[in-house]
């Protein structure tokens, strides 16, 4: 809390005026990022484009958020490590709804015969699992830019689906 307050040029006491404890602050950060990400993905899903193009955009959007919001995004991946029972159920439900967006795009692609996979759930878990791992190794000073990584991941995942 001290680090957060310092970054915001506030005192720790001022921060507690807005949030009763660290968990409430983290919960609100988690909710903000995940809600924003879901809105972005839902907007992509409503576009009148092929399932292939939707999936490409959804993958890139997910990676963009995972890289840009690395610290908060880690809360989405393993919420049970930080949150009490008071918040965990809602957090997991929202995270599952986020994953269902990928399920819908995959199902649409299978229905439209753009994707030929036999296990859509496993495909989604591979996509999200590998995409979430980018937070561990990505560096802005690395060999590839964020955009290049998004393109590479999207290319490889789309090959898996067709």
């Amino acid at each position: 809390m001290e680090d957060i307050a310092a970054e915001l040029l506030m005192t720790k006491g001022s921060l507690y005026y807005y949030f009763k404890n660290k968990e409430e602050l983290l919960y609100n950060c988690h909710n903000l990022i995940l809600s924003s990400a879901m809105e972005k993905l839902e907007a992509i899903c409503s576009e009148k484009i092929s399932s292939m193009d939707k999936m490409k955009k959804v993958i890139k959007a997910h990676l963009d958020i995972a890289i840009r919001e690395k610290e908060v995004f880690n809360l989405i991946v393993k919420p049970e490590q930080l949150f009490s029972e008071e918040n965990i159920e809602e957090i997991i439900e929202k995270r599952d709804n986020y994953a269902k967006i990928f399920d819908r795009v995959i199902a649409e692609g299978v229905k439209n015969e753009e994707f030929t996979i036999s296990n859509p759930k496993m495909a989604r878990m591979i996509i999200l699992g590998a995409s979430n791992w980018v937070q561990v190794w990505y560096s802005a000073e690395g060999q590839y830019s964020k955009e290049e990584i998004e393109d590479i991941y999207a290319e490889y995942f789309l090959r898996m689906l067709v």
Side-chain angles (χ1 to χ4, degrees):
M1 292 295 271
E2 289 174 21
D3 292 339
I4 294 167
E7 187 71 26
L8 296 172
L9 303 175
M10 301 173 74
T11 65
K12 192 168 141 181
S14 297
L15 197 55
Y16 279 112
Y17 174 80
Y18 297 100
F19 303 99
K20 66 181 177 187
N21 56 34
K22 182 179 177 182
E23 182 176 341
E24 184 179 0
L25 172 65
L26 293 174
Y27 172 82
N28 280 285
C29 290
H30 172 277
N31 196 43
L32 178 69
I33 297 301
L34 193 52
S35 294
S36 174
M38 289 176 75
E39 286 176 21
K40 188 171 190 172
L41 298 189
E42 290 291 359
I44 293 168
C45 290
S46 68
E47 292 180 25
K48 301 294 183 206
I49 56 177
S50 69
S51 299
M52 183 79 75
D53 288 338
K54 283 181 190 177
M55 182 55 73
K56 183 176 185 176
K57 289 176 112 177
V58 164
I59 290 167
K60 287 181 169 193
H62 178 78
L63 284 163
D64 176 61
I65 295 160
I67 291 170
R68 270 189 311 103
E69 303 292 348
K70 180 179 180 176
E71 297 307 319
V72 175
F73 202 81
N74 281 327
L75 304 176
I76 296 168
V77 177
K78 292 190 174 185
E80 51 283 335
Q81 292 180 347
L82 292 168
F83 297 106
S84 65
E85 288 184 29
E86 178 183 338
N87 293 316
I88 196 69
E89 190 173 312
E90 183 180 340
I91 288 168
I92 290 175
E93 181 181 347
K94 195 161 203 170
R95 186 187 65 186
D96 291 347
N97 287 336
Y98 182 85
K100 286 177 185 174
I101 296 170
F102 284 80
D103 292 340
R104 286 197 330 257
V105 176
I106 293 170
E108 177 187 294
V110 169
K111 181 181 176 189
N112 295 341
E113 298 181 350
E114 293 178 62
F115 303 149
T116 59
I117 55 169
S118 59
N119 192 332
K121 181 179 178 183
M122 186 61 68
R124 184 251 299 153
M125 290 191 301
I126 290 168
I127 291 168
L128 289 178
S131 296
N132 292 344
W133 190 251
V134 75
Q135 301 168 66
V136 173
W137 59 264
Y138 174 76
S139 168
E141 293 80 36
Q143 180 179 356
Y144 299 104
S145 70
K146 180 178 75 63
E147 292 76 16
E148 289 172 318
I149 290 169
E150 291 169 8
D151 288 338
I152 292 167
Y153 268 59
E155 177 189 344
Y156 282 30
F157 291 147
L158 289 173
R159 284 186 195 173
M160 174 186 71
L161 295 171
V162 295

